[in-house]
Amino acid sequence: WRAVDVEAKPLDGDVFLLGPASDLVDDGFEGQAIGSLPESIESPTTVVCLWESEEQGPDAALALVSSALAQVQWAQDKDDLSLIWVTRDAVGATPDATVTGVAASVLWGLARVARSENPDLDLRLVDYRDGKITPAFSLEGEPECAVRGDAIFIPRLVAHRPSTGSGPLVQAGGTVCITGGLGALGRTVARWLVAEHGVENLLLTSRRGRETPGAVDFIEELQEGGASVSVVACDASALA
């Protein structure tokens, strides 16, 4: 997650608020509070729904996701409709975050599936713990964000950068087990561990064990590189 700057501006068209309104009212939210979804809408329309539950167990999560699914189904045949789901502390937006709104977390999964199956569905997710919520509604082109204090965060995929430490990959005397170790990928990994990281003990598993074509020659190759190699015939996918 990374912080972004957002310029607050009012939502276009009719704006409705469904759910407990206290936080948004204090935040200066401009919209009409409603107790249930309207049968018809005038375009364009935005429905902001606050999802909260005092309980955080499976029953609470089921109740929230059932109501949310009904809302998605209601939105199917509505044109120029935007849905904004607001959850409280349902996702971790910082490295040291502790999620307390576990029940509402399922809504994030439901929303992602709904958007995937219905590309025309305009459904946004806003999570908050504290701070002003309404500026997040002005964030265009971002289907998900999190409000933490005065900052608004958006999720981004980043490349993993492995540690540049010089310590050993495996502790001295340790054994590395490679499932599928006599397959093409397994052999490549085994060679890399022995040649590049000085791994001394390998445990290779495969369905046929030493009966695997080329297994004997490969074991000898690893042994010549200084490794002690054990081979076990087993199916790692089979339940014990």
Side-chain angles (χ1 to χ4, degrees):
W1 294 80
R2 65 179 180 86
V4 293
D5 296 324
V6 179
E7 181 181 353
K9 59 182 180 180
L11 297 169
D12 295 331
D14 295 329
V15 180
F16 298 104
L17 173 63
L18 184 63
S22 58
D23 289 325
L24 288 183
V25 170
D26 294 341
D27 198 22
F29 176 79
E30 297 181 2
Q32 178 184 348
I34 56 176
S36 59
L37 295 170
E39 294 183 3
S40 60
I41 63 173
E42 298 294 334
S43 301
T45 298
T46 300
V47 176
V48 179
C49 186
L50 277 68
W51 300 96
E52 289 191 274
S53 174
E54 294 182 358
E55 303 295 331
Q56 297 301 325
D59 291 341
L62 178 59
L64 287 177
V65 80
S66 297
S67 297
L69 179 58
Q71 190 173 122
V72 170
Q73 294 170 336
W74 166 82
Q76 291 294 318
D77 59 350
K78 305 293 190 300
D79 295 327
D80 294 327
L81 171 68
S82 296
L83 295 177
I84 301 178
W85 287 359
V86 180
T87 58
R88 186 195 293 269
D89 207 14
V91 295
T94 55
D96 58 345
T98 299
V99 174
T100 60
V102 178
S105 295
V106 297
L107 301 181
W108 282 66
L110 173 63
R112 290 164 179 167
V113 172
R115 288 195 301 250
S116 176
E117 295 183 350
N118 303 274
D120 294 331
L121 179 65
D122 184 1
L123 171 57
R124 295 165 54 196
L125 293 162
V126 177
D127 188 73
Y128 79 105
R129 176 179 298 166
D130 50 23
K132 292 185 176 294
I133 312 171
T134 54
F137 300 160
S138 306
L139 191 60
E140 298 180 349
E142 296 292 342
E144 301 174 1
C145 70
V147 179
R148 298 294 185 268
D150 295 330
I152 297 177
F153 295 87
I154 56 175
R156 285 292 184 270
L157 289 175
V158 296
H160 172 65
R161 294 177 175 81
S163 172
T164 57
S166 58
L169 183 66
V170 180
Q171 293 183 353
T175 299
V176 176
C177 175
I178 305 176
T179 59
L182 294 178
L185 179 58
R187 296 187 187 202
T188 299
V189 172
R191 290 189 180 102
W192 173 73
L193 288 171
V194 172
E196 300 295 331
H197 294 280
V199 171
E200 299 176 348
N201 301 299
L202 288 174
L203 172 60
L204 310 180
T205 72
S206 70
R207 288 188 174 92
R208 299 176 62 183
R210 290 179 176 269
E211 299 301 319
T212 303
V216 174
D217 291 340
F218 179 61
I219 293 170
E220 292 177 354
E221 174 189 337
L222 295 176
Q223 291 173 335
E224 290 175 359
S228 172
V229 183
S230 299
V231 177
V232 176
C234 69
D235 184 354
S237 66
L239 297 177

